Amino acid sequence: MQTTSYSHPLFCFSCRNISTNGKTKCSVKFGAPYPSQLDRKCEFNGKLNRLFVLPNASDSHPSASTVDDEMNTNHAPNGMSPTFLSNWSPPRYLWRGLSVLILAGQVIVKTIKGKIHWRNTLQQLERVGPRSVGVCLLTSAFVGMAFTIQFVREFTRLGLNRSVGGVLALAFSRELSPVVTAIVVAGRIGSAFAAELGTMQVSEQTDTLRVLGSDPVDYLVTPRVLATCIALPLLTLLCFTLGMASSALLADGVYGVSINIILDSAQRSLRSWDIISAMIKSQVFGAIISIVSCAWGVTTLGGAKGVGESTTSAVVISLVGIFIADFALSYIFFQGAGDQLKNCI
């Protein structure tokens, strides 16, 4: 048997632990300067009891009371039952997907209202455009030459030399140039956007902007979205030109198909709508890359590890969105059978 006593200016109590048959029973007795005000005994048998000692309003003498919680784990106030889904939180991918839609709507509204930080927009435009030209052109050139190797040899054996330029022009303008450029920009620019905004989020720099009276959407997100949507069509046009040039040089030097025949065939098969559709696709791809990357950045949690996960996830989601949007736009723009290659046969 173990007894421990405690004292306080307002009250005193003693705690006694009694062991019987391997079971421990705790007995607590409270006392006060005026026993008539406080003299009770509480026993704890596996329950969580709370003790409240307060002075009386009339004579300032202490009075005590205990409350049995009985293992209340839902943390709901006494007398109130927990509501449905009170402890449920939505999955992370769900509220991140909703954040993409909300962020896109905010960017559209602020762009229409003219709330654009032009200095940041020009800085991001330089970053997305001129600084990405080299890697985009290099990638487009080698993709074009690899594509040329695959089908020019077969076309020459079939005697379809005059169709080589038309096939190259249609493939580059409709699919290869917009998609390849978007993939390069997603890997280079999208990852940078997500990493930067994620670092600012976990280091509370975005909260500092709000304290200073600046809207993070105006200052950080809108310039990046506008810069990507403006620069990506121009990069696509440059990649289309260099891809066609590298393919024509390879076909002339390796397979003996004259450059003049390739250019004449491309001119006969191409239409203005092919270039316009490529520009539209590029703008859509740019919006997907920038909005997804910024949304994943501003919803980053968990420090440096969260920044890395957000960056990787942003690039993956952007690529998936690019491929889905490419299929949808191609189905809308180029339905039915085409007859453009008939002009170059």
Side-chain angles (χ1 to χ4, degrees):
M1 180 177 65
Q2 180 180 2
T3 304
T4 306
S5 299
Y6 305 90
S7 62
H8 192 273
L10 289 179
F11 67 94
C12 64
F13 64 92
S14 62
C15 178
R16 177 177 295 177
N17 295 328
I18 303 174
S19 299
T20 304
N21 296 328
K23 297 182 179 180
T24 302
K25 186 176 181 181
C26 180
S27 177
V28 181
K29 184 176 182 180
F30 303 94
Y34 299 90
S36 61
Q37 299 292 333
L38 175 62
D39 188 6
R40 60 183 301 178
K41 188 176 181 180
C42 300
E43 294 185 356
F44 299 85
N45 296 317
K47 298 180 181 180
L48 299 177
N49 295 344
R50 296 180 182 179
L51 169 67
F52 297 92
V53 180
L54 298 173
N56 291 330
S58 58
D59 53 6
S60 299
H61 291 161
S63 62
S65 62
T66 59
V67 178
D68 295 339
D69 288 348
E70 294 187 0
M71 304 305 289
N72 184 13
T73 58
N74 54 14
H75 306 288
N78 292 334
M80 296 179 60
S81 60
T83 59
F84 182 65
L85 299 180
S86 60
N87 296 326
W88 180 82
S89 59
R92 192 174 185 184
Y93 67 85
L94 180 59
W95 59 263
R96 271 190 159 177
L98 293 177
S99 69
V100 171
L101 300 178
I102 295 173
L103 200 62
Q106 289 180 339
V107 169
I108 293 173
V109 170
K110 293 180 181 298
T111 303
I112 294 175
K113 291 182 178 180
K115 295 182 179 180
I116 303 172
H117 199 284
W118 291 108
R119 182 177 180 181
N120 283 357
T121 304
L122 292 177
Q123 291 177 353
Q124 298 300 326
L125 187 61
E126 178 187 4
R127 180 184 184 184
V128 178
R131 296 184 183 180
S132 301
V133 169
V135 62
C136 289
L137 293 181
L138 186 65
T139 305
S140 179
F142 281 97
V143 168
M145 289 188 289
F147 182 72
T148 303
I149 292 173
Q150 297 299 325
F151 81 94
V152 170
R153 181 179 58 182
E154 307 298 332
F155 272 46
T156 54
R157 289 182 180 179
L158 296 174
L160 300 175
N161 293 349
R162 294 187 176 275
S163 299
V164 171
V167 173
L168 286 174
L170 293 178
F172 272 101
S173 63
R174 293 181 178 182
E175 294 297 330
L176 290 180
S177 295
V179 173
V180 169
T181 306
I183 291 174
V184 173
V185 172
R188 185 183 183 276
I189 302 299
S191 59
F193 286 172
E196 287 179 356
L197 296 184
T199 304
M200 295 181 70
Q201 179 67 23
V202 298
S203 61
E204 299 181 354
Q205 296 182 38
T206 55
D207 297 333
T208 305
L209 287 176
R210 294 187 181 93
V211 172
L212 296 176
S214 298
D215 190 351
V217 178
D218 295 342
Y219 192 79
L220 299 174
V221 179
T222 305
R224 285 170 167 80
V225 175
L226 292 179
T228 309
C229 292
I230 293 172
L232 204 57
L234 301 178
L235 291 175
T236 300
L237 190 60
L238 293 176
C239 290
F240 168 74
T241 304
L242 185 62
M244 281 294 301
S246 61
S247 298
L249 291 175
L250 181 64
D252 185 21
V254 177
Y255 299 102
V257 182
S258 175
I259 295 180
N260 294 327
I261 296 176
I262 294 176
L263 296 180
D264 181 68
S265 174
Q267 184 180 3
R268 289 174 179 272
S269 61
L270 270 182
R271 296 176 182 174
S272 58
W273 174 245
D274 297 323
I275 304 299
I276 294 174
S277 64
M279 300 297 102
I280 295 175
K281 280 187 176 184
S282 299
Q283 286 187 331
V284 174
F285 296 161
I288 292 174
I289 294 169
S290 56
I291 292 176
V292 169
S293 300
C294 292
W296 256 245
V298 298
T299 55
T300 300
L301 300 173
K305 181 179 179 181
V307 173
E309 292 176 352
S310 295
T311 303
T312 305
S313 179
V315 174
V316 173
I317 298 299
S318 298
L319 294 177
V320 173
I322 287 170
F323 297 140
I324 294 175
D326 179 58
F327 166 75
L329 294 176
S330 298
Y331 184 79
I332 294 172
F333 292 157
F334 309 111
Q335 289 188 23
D339 56 354
Q340 293 179 235
L341 288 178
K342 292 181 180 180
N343 300 324
C344 57
I345 294 178

